[in-house]
Amino acid sequence: FVNQKFCEIVGYSEEELKQLTYLDLTHPEDLEAECELADGLEVAGNLSYSIEKRYIRKNGEIIWVKLAATLLENLREPMQGIAVVEDINDRKLIEQELRASREKYKTLFEILPIGVAMTDKDGNIIRANPASEKMFGQLMCGEKKHNIRDLPWEIIRPDGSPMQPTELACIKALREKVVVKKQEVGMIKEKGKNAWISINAAPIPLE
């Protein structure tokens, strides 16, 4: 027995589905995983399983579903079970788009010729691209968690007065929830040698 909703999901009529098995509907790449779970109902004595998989609709389209199958405890042969199928295609498409976006972001992050770094509101450096590592050295790389306060150089304002690390745009943007543009900062790396940088910072969600 199948209901109308399942018929709509796979695009077959009830009469057509009576001539098919889950093997006929399941995407070839998902068959092995589900067969192992289905075999577990008989061999391992499991009573149920759940899986996210793809069906091939009658028109050839691929659709993602979440299937929950339960073996009915009775003495009938062959054994009987019930399966509940949920259409999750929209969610899967969104997840695929997000993964693609993350890959594009990761590539851009790595190849940008300007320094890009992510910090929290306390100045802890979460991530930095190669350009930042080239500018700031070991402070921006390695497994050890570094903090902006660990900068080995004195930070100064455009007028030459000392600046506290907490005044830097990256920390101010997060603490005050504002966008900070073109903050000019000087770094005294060696006596008499200053390096000037312009910083833009904005609060962004990490999740």
Side-chain angles (χ1 to χ4, degrees):
F1 170 80
V2 295
N3 64 6
Q4 183 58 33
K5 181 61 179 177
F6 184 74
C7 292
E8 293 172 2
I9 289 175
V10 295
Y12 288 94
S13 67
E14 183 176 350
E15 290 303 313
E16 289 173 319
L17 286 170
K18 288 179 181 178
Q19 309 303 315
L20 302 173
T21 69
Y22 77 91
L23 298 175
D24 301 310
L25 299 173
T26 301
H27 191 285
E29 294 178 5
D30 298 332
L31 274 175
E32 183 178 353
E34 183 165 19
C35 285
E36 288 180 1
L37 291 170
D39 290 344
L41 294 179
E42 296 186 48
V43 179
N46 299 328
L47 296 178
S48 65
Y49 71 85
S50 178
I51 185 175
E52 292 186 356
K53 67 171 192 171
R54 290 160 290 181
Y55 276 142
I56 301 176
R57 305 185 79 243
K58 183 179 180 179
N59 63 6
E61 291 180 355
I62 306 298
I63 184 170
W64 277 94
V65 301
K66 181 177 181 179
L67 179 144
T70 302
L71 185 67
L72 298 178
E73 297 185 89
N74 55 50
L75 299 178
R76 296 181 184 179
E77 291 291 343
M79 292 185 294
Q80 298 179 337
I82 185 171
V84 177
V85 177
E86 177 187 358
D87 181 348
I88 61 170
N89 202 56
D90 288 344
R91 172 169 68 80
K92 282 293 185 178
L93 291 176
I94 291 173
E95 289 176 355
Q96 291 171 4
E97 291 174 0
L98 284 174
R99 280 194 295 271
S101 294
R102 288 191 184 113
E103 284 303 312
K104 290 177 183 178
Y105 154 76
K106 182 179 178 181
T107 300
L108 288 172
F109 186 82
E110 294 296 327
I111 67 173
L112 277 173
I114 58 175
V116 180
M118 300 174 68
T119 71
D120 61 20
K121 65 181 180 179
D122 295 317
N124 295 309
I125 299 167
I126 299 169
R127 189 177 179 187
N129 71 346
S132 288
E133 294 176 3
K134 186 175 180 180
M135 293 170 62
F136 298 101
Q138 291 300 315
L139 177 65
M140 293 293 185
C141 35
E143 296 298 324
K144 182 182 176 181
K145 191 174 185 180
H146 294 285
N147 190 285
I148 291 294
R149 296 181 180 84
D150 298 331
L151 277 169
W153 316 297
E154 182 183 351
I155 308 171
I156 59 174
R157 301 185 182 90
D159 62 6
S161 60
M163 174 186 280
Q164 294 299 315
T166 52
E167 297 178 57
L168 288 170
C170 53
I171 298 179
K172 182 178 180 181
L174 289 170
R175 290 187 174 179
E176 299 180 16
K177 294 182 173 59
V178 296
V179 174
V180 181
K181 295 182 178 180
K182 298 180 179 179
Q183 183 191 52
E184 292 187 4
V185 174
M187 295 181 296
I188 305 177
K189 293 187 175 183
E190 297 178 24
K191 190 172 183 180
K193 291 185 179 181
N194 298 350
W196 290 93
I197 60 174
S198 178
I199 305 175
N200 295 296
I204 58 172
L206 296 180
E207 297 298 331

